[in-house]
PDB file of all heavy atoms in Angstrom:
ATOM      1  N   ALA A  17     -16.245  11.935 -16.620  1.00  0.00           N
ATOM      2  CA  ALA A  17     -16.077  10.477 -16.663  1.00  0.00           C
ATOM      3  C   ALA A  17     -15.538   9.960 -15.327  1.00  0.00           C
ATOM      4  O   ALA A  17     -15.195  10.722 -14.423  1.00  0.00           O
ATOM      5  CB  ALA A  17     -15.128  10.102 -17.799  1.00  0.00           C
ATOM      6  N   ILE A  18     -15.471   8.626 -15.220  1.00  0.00           N
ATOM      7  CA  ILE A  18     -14.858   7.986 -14.050  1.00  0.00           C
ATOM      8  C   ILE A  18     -13.411   7.661 -14.373  1.00  0.00           C
ATOM      9  O   ILE A  18     -13.107   7.022 -15.385  1.00  0.00           O
ATOM     10  CB  ILE A  18     -15.597   6.690 -13.675  1.00  0.00           C
ATOM     11  CG1 ILE A  18     -17.030   6.995 -13.241  1.00  0.00           C
ATOM     12  CG2 ILE A  18     -14.855   5.953 -12.561  1.00  0.00           C
ATOM     13  CD1 ILE A  18     -17.870   5.755 -12.964  1.00  0.00           C
ATOM     14  N   ALA A  19     -12.520   8.106 -13.511  1.00  0.00           N
ATOM     15  CA  ALA A  19     -11.100   7.751 -13.640  1.00  0.00           C
ATOM     16  C   ALA A  19     -10.809   6.604 -12.696  1.00  0.00           C
ATOM     17  O   ALA A  19     -11.211   6.626 -11.527  1.00  0.00           O
ATOM     18  CB  ALA A  19     -10.214   8.948 -13.316  1.00  0.00           C
ATOM     19  N   SER A  20     -10.117   5.579 -13.194  1.00  0.00           N
ATOM     20  CA  SER A  20      -9.807   4.393 -12.399  1.00  0.00           C
ATOM     21  C   SER A  20      -8.302   4.216 -12.305  1.00  0.00           C
ATOM     22  O   SER A  20      -7.616   4.081 -13.323  1.00  0.00           O
ATOM     23  CB  SER A  20     -10.441   3.158 -13.051  1.00  0.00           C
ATOM     24  OG  SER A  20     -10.099   1.980 -12.330  1.00  0.00           O
ATOM     25  N   LEU A  21      -7.809   4.232 -11.080  1.00  0.00           N
ATOM     26  CA  LEU A  21      -6.374   4.116 -10.829  1.00  0.00           C
ATOM     27  C   LEU A  21      -6.136   2.847 -10.020  1.00  0.00           C
ATOM     28  O   LEU A  21      -6.849   2.585  -9.053  1.00  0.00           O
ATOM     29  CB  LEU A  21      -5.878   5.341 -10.045  1.00  0.00           C
ATOM     30  CG  LEU A  21      -6.215   6.689 -10.679  1.00  0.00           C
ATOM     31  CD1 LEU A  21      -5.951   7.826  -9.710  1.00  0.00           C
ATOM     32  CD2 LEU A  21      -5.413   6.889 -11.947  1.00  0.00           C
ATOM     33  N   ASN A  22      -5.135   2.078 -10.421  1.00  0.00           N
ATOM     34  CA  ASN A  22      -4.919   0.770  -9.815  1.00  0.00           C
ATOM     35  C   ASN A  22      -3.527   0.634  -9.228  1.00  0.00           C
ATOM     36  O   ASN A  22      -2.563   1.263  -9.700  1.00  0.00           O
ATOM     37  CB  ASN A  22      -5.120  -0.320 -10.864  1.00  0.00           C
ATOM     38  CG  ASN A  22      -6.487  -0.250 -11.502  1.00  0.00           C
ATOM     39  OD1 ASN A  22      -7.478  -0.097 -10.806  1.00  0.00           O
ATOM     40  ND2 ASN A  22      -6.537  -0.329 -12.822  1.00  0.00           N
ATOM     41  N   CYS A  23      -3.428  -0.261  -8.241  1.00  0.00           N
ATOM     42  CA  CYS A  23      -2.170  -0.427  -7.512  1.00  0.00           C
ATOM     43  C   CYS A  23      -2.111  -1.859  -6.989  1.00  0.00           C
ATOM     44  O   CYS A  23      -3.110  -2.370  -6.462  1.00  0.00           O
ATOM     45  CB  CYS A  23      -2.153   0.589  -6.370  1.00  0.00           C
ATOM     46  SG  CYS A  23      -0.755   0.497  -5.238  1.00  0.00           S
ATOM     47  N   THR A  24      -0.970  -2.514  -7.133  1.00  0.00           N
ATOM     48  CA  THR A  24      -0.751  -3.824  -6.518  1.00  0.00           C
ATOM     49  C   THR A  24       0.470  -3.746  -5.623  1.00  0.00           C
ATOM     50  O   THR A  24       1.364  -2.903  -5.826  1.00  0.00           O
ATOM     51  CB  THR A  24      -0.543  -4.929  -7.566  1.00  0.00           C
ATOM     52  OG1 THR A  24       0.579  -4.589  -8.383  1.00  0.00           O
ATOM     53  CG2 THR A  24      -1.772  -5.106  -8.445  1.00  0.00           C
ATOM     54  N   TYR A  25       0.508  -4.618  -4.613  1.00  0.00           N
ATOM     55  CA  TYR A  25       1.612  -4.573  -3.661  1.00  0.00           C
ATOM     56  C   TYR A  25       2.069  -5.982  -3.357  1.00  0.00           C
ATOM     57  O   TYR A  25       1.312  -6.943  -3.510  1.00  0.00           O
ATOM     58  CB  TYR A  25       1.191  -3.822  -2.388  1.00  0.00           C
ATOM     59  CG  TYR A  25       0.008  -4.428  -1.676  1.00  0.00           C
ATOM     60  CD1 TYR A  25       0.185  -5.329  -0.628  1.00  0.00           C
ATOM     61  CD2 TYR A  25      -1.299  -4.097  -2.052  1.00  0.00           C
ATOM     62  CE1 TYR A  25      -0.898  -5.892   0.020  1.00  0.00           C
ATOM     63  CE2 TYR A  25      -2.385  -4.655  -1.409  1.00  0.00           C
ATOM     64  CZ  TYR A  25      -2.183  -5.548  -0.377  1.00  0.00           C
ATOM     65  OH  TYR A  25      -3.270  -6.101   0.265  1.00  0.00           O
ATOM     66  N   SER A  26       3.305  -6.099  -2.909  1.00  0.00           N
ATOM     67  CA  SER A  26       3.907  -7.423  -2.752  1.00  0.00           C
ATOM     68  C   SER A  26       3.854  -7.964  -1.322  1.00  0.00           C
ATOM     69  O   SER A  26       3.911  -9.184  -1.121  1.00  0.00           O
ATOM     70  CB  SER A  26       5.362  -7.386  -3.217  1.00  0.00           C
ATOM     71  OG  SER A  26       6.104  -6.471  -2.429  1.00  0.00           O
ATOM     72  N   ASP A  27       3.745  -7.093  -0.319  1.00  0.00           N
ATOM     73  CA  ASP A  27       3.828  -7.528   1.073  1.00  0.00           C
ATOM     74  C   ASP A  27       2.455  -7.926   1.605  1.00  0.00           C
ATOM     75  O   ASP A  27       1.616  -7.065   1.871  1.00  0.00           O
ATOM     76  CB  ASP A  27       4.425  -6.396   1.917  1.00  0.00           C
ATOM     77  CG  ASP A  27       4.580  -6.775   3.391  1.00  0.00           C
ATOM     78  OD1 ASP A  27       4.325  -7.943   3.755  1.00  0.00           O
ATOM     79  OD2 ASP A  27       4.969  -5.897   4.174  1.00  0.00           O
ATOM     80  N   ARG A  28       2.225  -9.228   1.771  1.00  0.00           N
ATOM     81  CA  ARG A  28       0.915  -9.714   2.239  1.00  0.00           C
ATOM     82  C   ARG A  28       0.591  -9.234   3.650  1.00  0.00           C
ATOM     83  O   ARG A  28      -0.563  -9.247   4.058  1.00  0.00           O
ATOM     84  CB  ARG A  28       0.885 -11.233   2.219  1.00  0.00           C
ATOM     85  CG  ARG A  28       0.748 -11.828   0.850  1.00  0.00           C
ATOM     86  CD  ARG A  28       0.387 -13.301   0.913  1.00  0.00           C
ATOM     87  NE  ARG A  28       0.010 -13.797  -0.407  1.00  0.00           N
ATOM     88  CZ  ARG A  28      -1.213 -13.684  -0.905  1.00  0.00           C
ATOM     89  NH1 ARG A  28      -2.169 -13.130  -0.195  1.00  0.00           N
ATOM     90  NH2 ARG A  28      -1.493 -14.146  -2.107  1.00  0.00           N
ATOM     91  N   GLY A  29       1.607  -8.836   4.396  1.00  0.00           N
ATOM     92  CA  GLY A  29       1.376  -8.382   5.761  1.00  0.00           C
ATOM     93  C   GLY A  29       0.955  -6.930   5.880  1.00  0.00           C
ATOM     94  O   GLY A  29       0.685  -6.453   6.978  1.00  0.00           O
ATOM     95  N   SER A  30       0.865  -6.224   4.771  1.00  0.00           N
ATOM     96  CA  SER A  30       0.502  -4.810   4.802  1.00  0.00           C
ATOM     97  C   SER A  30      -0.925  -4.638   5.317  1.00  0.00           C
ATOM     98  O   SER A  30      -1.818  -5.414   4.972  1.00  0.00           O
ATOM     99  CB  SER A  30       0.619  -4.195   3.411  1.00  0.00           C
ATOM    100  OG  SER A  30       1.950  -4.303   2.942  1.00  0.00           O
ATOM    101  N   GLN A  31      -1.114  -3.600   6.126  1.00  0.00           N
ATOM    102  CA  GLN A  31      -2.419  -3.395   6.750  1.00  0.00           C
ATOM    103  C   GLN A  31      -3.034  -2.034   6.462  1.00  0.00           C
ATOM    104  O   GLN A  31      -4.206  -1.824   6.748  1.00  0.00           O
ATOM    105  CB  GLN A  31      -2.293  -3.566   8.273  1.00  0.00           C
ATOM    106  CG  GLN A  31      -1.908  -4.967   8.707  1.00  0.00           C
ATOM    107  CD  GLN A  31      -2.966  -5.996   8.341  1.00  0.00           C
ATOM    108  OE1 GLN A  31      -4.154  -5.721   8.397  1.00  0.00           O
ATOM    109  NE2 GLN A  31      -2.530  -7.177   7.934  1.00  0.00           N
ATOM    110  N   SER A  32      -2.248  -1.094   5.959  1.00  0.00           N
ATOM    111  CA  SER A  32      -2.810   0.226   5.691  1.00  0.00           C
ATOM    112  C   SER A  32      -2.335   0.728   4.338  1.00  0.00           C
ATOM    113  O   SER A  32      -1.196   0.497   3.932  1.00  0.00           O
ATOM    114  CB  SER A  32      -2.469   1.219   6.810  1.00  0.00           C
ATOM    115  OG  SER A  32      -1.114   1.181   7.165  1.00  0.00           O
ATOM    116  N   PHE A  33      -3.262   1.427   3.666  1.00  0.00           N
ATOM    117  CA  PHE A  33      -3.084   1.779   2.257  1.00  0.00           C
ATOM    118  C   PHE A  33      -3.593   3.199   2.043  1.00  0.00           C
ATOM    119  O   PHE A  33      -4.626   3.577   2.611  1.00  0.00           O
ATOM    120  CB  PHE A  33      -3.877   0.796   1.375  1.00  0.00           C
ATOM    121  CG  PHE A  33      -3.558  -0.639   1.694  1.00  0.00           C
ATOM    122  CD1 PHE A  33      -4.227  -1.287   2.719  1.00  0.00           C
ATOM    123  CD2 PHE A  33      -2.567  -1.313   1.002  1.00  0.00           C
ATOM    124  CE1 PHE A  33      -3.919  -2.598   3.051  1.00  0.00           C
ATOM    125  CE2 PHE A  33      -2.256  -2.621   1.321  1.00  0.00           C
ATOM    126  CZ  PHE A  33      -2.927  -3.258   2.346  1.00  0.00           C
ATOM    127  N   PHE A  34      -2.859   3.946   1.233  1.00  0.00           N
ATOM    128  CA  PHE A  34      -3.174   5.365   1.091  1.00  0.00           C
ATOM    129  C   PHE A  34      -3.087   5.784  -0.373  1.00  0.00           C
ATOM    130  O   PHE A  34      -2.304   5.247  -1.149  1.00  0.00           O
ATOM    131  CB  PHE A  34      -2.177   6.206   1.913  1.00  0.00           C
ATOM    132  CG  PHE A  34      -2.074   5.759   3.351  1.00  0.00           C
ATOM    133  CD1 PHE A  34      -1.070   4.892   3.744  1.00  0.00           C
ATOM    134  CD2 PHE A  34      -2.985   6.193   4.292  1.00  0.00           C
ATOM    135  CE1 PHE A  34      -0.970   4.462   5.061  1.00  0.00           C
ATOM    136  CE2 PHE A  34      -2.890   5.767   5.615  1.00  0.00           C
ATOM    137  CZ  PHE A  34      -1.892   4.903   5.987  1.00  0.00           C
ATOM    138  N   TRP A  35      -3.900   6.786  -0.697  1.00  0.00           N
ATOM    139  CA  TRP A  35      -3.769   7.474  -1.978  1.00  0.00           C
ATOM    140  C   TRP A  35      -3.434   8.931  -1.714  1.00  0.00           C
ATOM    141  O   TRP A  35      -4.115   9.594  -0.911  1.00  0.00           O
ATOM    142  CB  TRP A  35      -5.065   7.375  -2.781  1.00  0.00           C
ATOM    143  CG  TRP A  35      -5.262   6.028  -3.403  1.00  0.00           C
ATOM    144  CD1 TRP A  35      -6.036   5.012  -2.920  1.00  0.00           C
ATOM    145  CD2 TRP A  35      -4.685   5.551  -4.617  1.00  0.00           C
ATOM    146  NE1 TRP A  35      -5.969   3.923  -3.756  1.00  0.00           N
ATOM    147  CE2 TRP A  35      -5.153   4.237  -4.818  1.00  0.00           C
ATOM    148  CE3 TRP A  35      -3.829   6.104  -5.578  1.00  0.00           C
ATOM    149  CZ2 TRP A  35      -4.783   3.458  -5.911  1.00  0.00           C
ATOM    150  CZ3 TRP A  35      -3.467   5.338  -6.665  1.00  0.00           C
ATOM    151  CH2 TRP A  35      -3.931   4.030  -6.826  1.00  0.00           C
ATOM    152  N   TYR A  36      -2.381   9.398  -2.383  1.00  0.00           N
ATOM    153  CA  TYR A  36      -1.982  10.792  -2.305  1.00  0.00           C
ATOM    154  C   TYR A  36      -2.152  11.414  -3.690  1.00  0.00           C
ATOM    155  O   TYR A  36      -1.893  10.782  -4.718  1.00  0.00           O
ATOM    156  CB  TYR A  36      -0.506  10.917  -1.891  1.00  0.00           C
ATOM    157  CG  TYR A  36      -0.232  10.595  -0.442  1.00  0.00           C
ATOM    158  CD1 TYR A  36      -0.031   9.282  -0.024  1.00  0.00           C
ATOM    159  CD2 TYR A  36      -0.169  11.601   0.514  1.00  0.00           C
ATOM    160  CE1 TYR A  36       0.236   8.978   1.309  1.00  0.00           C
ATOM    161  CE2 TYR A  36       0.105  11.319   1.856  1.00  0.00           C
ATOM    162  CZ  TYR A  36       0.299  10.002   2.233  1.00  0.00           C
ATOM    163  OH  TYR A  36       0.557   9.711   3.552  1.00  0.00           O
ATOM    164  N   ARG A  37      -2.541  12.674  -3.690  1.00  0.00           N
ATOM    165  CA  ARG A  37      -2.615  13.458  -4.919  1.00  0.00           C
ATOM    166  C   ARG A  37      -1.484  14.467  -4.887  1.00  0.00           C
ATOM    167  O   ARG A  37      -1.278  15.144  -3.875  1.00  0.00           O
ATOM    168  CB  ARG A  37      -3.963  14.178  -5.002  1.00  0.00           C
ATOM    169  CG  ARG A  37      -4.140  15.095  -6.203  1.00  0.00           C
ATOM    170  CD  ARG A  37      -5.557  15.664  -6.222  1.00  0.00           C
ATOM    171  NE  ARG A  37      -5.798  16.520  -5.060  1.00  0.00           N
ATOM    172  CZ  ARG A  37      -7.012  16.883  -4.657  1.00  0.00           C
ATOM    173  NH1 ARG A  37      -8.086  16.475  -5.307  1.00  0.00           N
ATOM    174  NH2 ARG A  37      -7.140  17.666  -3.614  1.00  0.00           N
ATOM    175  N   GLN A  38      -0.769  14.594  -5.995  1.00  0.00           N
ATOM    176  CA  GLN A  38       0.338  15.541  -6.052  1.00  0.00           C
ATOM    177  C   GLN A  38       0.232  16.365  -7.324  1.00  0.00           C
ATOM    178  O   GLN A  38       0.377  15.849  -8.435  1.00  0.00           O
ATOM    179  CB  GLN A  38       1.693  14.820  -5.991  1.00  0.00           C
ATOM    180  CG  GLN A  38       2.870  15.776  -5.866  1.00  0.00           C
ATOM    181  CD  GLN A  38       4.186  15.077  -5.572  1.00  0.00           C
ATOM    182  OE1 GLN A  38       4.384  13.908  -5.877  1.00  0.00           O
ATOM    183  NE2 GLN A  38       5.124  15.813  -4.967  1.00  0.00           N
TER     184      GLN A  38
END
Side-chain angles (χ1 to χ4, degrees):
Chain A
I18 296 175
S20 177
L21 306 168
N22 303 315
C23 175
T24 58
Y25 59 94
S26 61
D27 181 5
R28 285 194 169 275
S30 300
Q31 295 296 323
S32 47
F33 308 85
F34 308 96
W35 284 99
Y36 287 85
R37 177 176 64 196
Q38 187 170 25

